[in-house]
Amino acid sequence: MRVFDFDGTIYDGESLFDLYLFSARYDMKVFRHLAPVLRYAIKYKLGRATLEQMERGVGKVARKYLQDLSTSKSIDELRVRSLNNAAKAGLDTNILTADASIISADDLNGGLKSLVSAFWDRNMSKIKPWYKPQPDDVILTASFDVTVGEACRRLGVKRLIASTIDPATFEVTYLNFNTNKPKRLRQVLGADAVIDEFYTDSTFDQPMIDMARKGFMVKGNTITQVK
């Protein structure tokens, strides 16, 4: 089994920050969250925040950001546009009805599902060319399942272990950061799960490197075995 960090490892950049900037194309009010987003992004990459600080701070920022998205008319138009495009494509009634159900059930809301889909239409090219998915691959990331999940679907990766959000309350229910990563992986895959190879761009993933038979550091498209 191969396990991969996502941002900076197989994705060229920070997907949550890129999504944040992408959403600002549709609604400028999300820029009010710029300072705290940058602050926690920097703290995360430099390892200068405790798990408790990240859980509290990221949870607060994520909730306010999602609340803004949920009331954005511009972003909700993406959902309506998706339905209109499905109709114009001439999909039969059953398919169109199913598609409408999925999109309108986007309770995170006002169109987050459609926003994420549009984001990956534009950004799948940022998946690094060396990454070739295999059936037993696992993506282990601090980013949220609602965003990275769509990239995994397009890549054909079936197993994603990520941070999670309650779609009804916008509360962060699990922050898959730092020591929470190996903890969550064992919960999902079992205490006896064997990691043949682990790939990351950060030394703060050392607990995962320690768990793996082989560990690799990724810088750009250069991969160096460190264990």
Side-chain angles (χ1 to χ4, degrees):
M1 175 174 69
R2 304 189 307 171
V3 179
F4 296 84
D5 174 52
F6 188 76
D7 297 305
T9 301
I10 66 172
Y11 178 82
D12 186 13
E14 296 294 325
S15 62
L16 277 179
F17 186 66
D18 287 350
L19 177 65
Y20 168 76
L21 294 178
F22 182 79
S23 65
R25 294 156 53 96
Y26 296 92
D27 196 323
M28 297 290 285
K29 70 182 178 184
V30 301
F31 273 125
R32 73 180 73 182
H33 309 295
L34 180 59
V37 166
L38 284 174
R39 182 168 64 253
Y40 283 105
I42 292 170
K43 284 185 176 181
Y44 170 70
K45 295 305 289 187
L46 296 180
R48 293 181 177 174
T50 66
L51 180 58
E52 291 74 19
Q53 289 172 330
M54 290 295 292
E55 286 177 329
R56 183 171 60 253
V58 171
K60 182 178 180 180
V61 173
R63 183 172 62 254
K64 290 182 177 180
Y65 170 66
L66 290 172
Q67 286 172 341
D68 275 353
L69 291 186
S70 72
T71 58
S72 171
K73 292 182 179 179
S74 297
I75 290 175
D76 189 57
E77 287 174 1
L78 283 172
R79 177 181 58 82
V80 176
R81 193 180 309 158
S82 296
L83 293 174
N84 290 339
N85 289 341
K88 289 178 182 178
L91 298 178
D92 65 43
T93 304
N94 292 333
I95 295 176
L96 181 58
T97 300
D99 193 40
S101 175
I102 292 171
I103 296 172
S104 63
D106 176 23
D107 293 333
L108 264 175
N109 271 246
L112 180 58
K113 180 182 176 66
S114 299
L115 176 69
V116 169
S117 182
F119 171 78
W120 287 114
D121 286 346
R122 187 182 184 89
N123 287 278
M124 281 302 291
S125 60
K126 295 186 71 173
I127 298 297
K128 297 180 181 180
W130 59 264
Y131 176 63
K132 307 298 180 185
Q134 295 181 10
D136 66 345
D137 282 357
V138 177
I139 301 299
L140 180 70
T141 177
S143 289
F144 294 103
D145 54 357
V146 70
T147 56
V148 178
E150 175 61 15
C152 289
R153 185 188 69 80
R154 297 186 186 201
L155 288 167
V157 176
K158 304 298 183 183
R159 296 188 290 182
L160 168 65
I161 300 174
S163 297
T164 56
I165 293 174
D166 183 336
T169 64
F170 306 116
E171 297 287 341
V172 174
T173 53
Y174 193 84
L175 186 62
N176 199 42
F177 166 74
N178 201 289
T179 55
N180 272 357
K181 280 188 173 183
K183 176 183 175 182
R184 185 61 174 163
L185 184 137
R186 291 189 185 98
Q187 289 175 343
V188 174
L189 301 180
D192 58 348
V194 176
I195 302 172
D196 296 304
E197 299 176 359
F198 177 71
Y199 295 77
T200 183
D201 69 319
S202 174
T203 56
F204 298 109
D205 277 332
Q206 187 62 45
M208 290 304 308
I209 294 174
D210 293 340
M211 284 180 63
R213 289 175 172 172
K214 295 180 181 179
F216 299 86
M217 290 299 297
V218 179
K219 297 300 177 186
N221 288 315
T222 301
I223 303 170
T224 304
Q225 185 169 352
V226 294
K227 179 183 178 183

